[in-house]
Amino acid sequence: MHIPPSGTTQYVKHSWVAHIDNHCVGYTHFLLEPEKTIKFMDAWVHEDYRRKGIFRELWDTRWGFVQQHYKGYKAYAWCKPMSLPLLLEKGFIEGDNCVYVEKIIEGPKPPFEKCFVSC
């Protein structure tokens, strides 16, 4: 199912949802950016439905949509290693690698707590 942009925000985001028995089992999105650029975002399939072709079907549906409506635009994506072969298959060129990092946000620390210097 295609979910077009709402038109009420500054973002132009298209989404596709895979559903079975009225439950979402997967989705994918893309965001239109300035200068004829498309950012492919968020491709996910529920773990109970993986390895059944849903990811590829969502990806191919989105790809067909951008080919039909956005010829000449540049598309890019950040992807996990498992998704890279599909993007390379579609003609994407591999760029630099990124490393995922995360941190639990803590409250601010009092000044000088970490770097006390005595004379």
Side-chain angles (χ1 to χ4, degrees):
M1 169 188 347
H2 176 233
I3 303 170
S6 66
T8 60
T9 68
Q10 65 181 346
Y11 301 105
V12 179
K13 181 177 175 182
H14 289 264
S15 303
W16 285 264
V17 175
H19 55 91
I20 297 174
D21 296 328
N22 237 8
H23 294 280
C24 174
V25 298
Y27 59 77
T28 191
H29 312 284
F30 79 79
L31 184 67
L32 281 178
E33 294 185 342
E35 301 181 22
K36 297 180 81 171
T37 302
I38 294 173
K39 178 181 182 181
F40 282 7
M41 305 168 55
D42 297 337
W44 169 84
V45 174
H46 187 281
E47 62 186 27
D48 292 346
Y49 296 92
R50 292 182 184 157
R51 313 291 306 161
K52 299 176 190 269
I54 294 171
F55 177 84
R56 180 173 284 272
E57 182 67 29
L58 285 166
W59 210 100
D60 286 345
T61 299
R62 176 182 62 183
W63 185 242
F65 185 88
V66 299
Q67 285 182 309
Q68 183 177 1
H69 297 283
Y70 297 101
K71 186 177 179 182
Y73 281 58
K74 175 179 68 177
Y76 75 98
W78 298 98
C79 68
K80 293 181 179 179
M82 279 182 52
S83 302
L84 182 58
L86 177 58
L87 283 118
L88 295 175
E89 173 188 310
K90 298 296 182 182
F92 283 72
I93 299 167
E94 186 174 356
D96 293 331
N97 290 327
C98 291
V99 176
Y100 171 79
V101 295
E102 69 178 27
K103 177 178 176 29
I104 302 299
I105 305 298
E106 301 168 353
K109 300 207 186 295
F112 310 113
E113 180 180 305
K114 293 193 283 185
C115 56
F116 178 76
V117 177
S118 65
C119 297

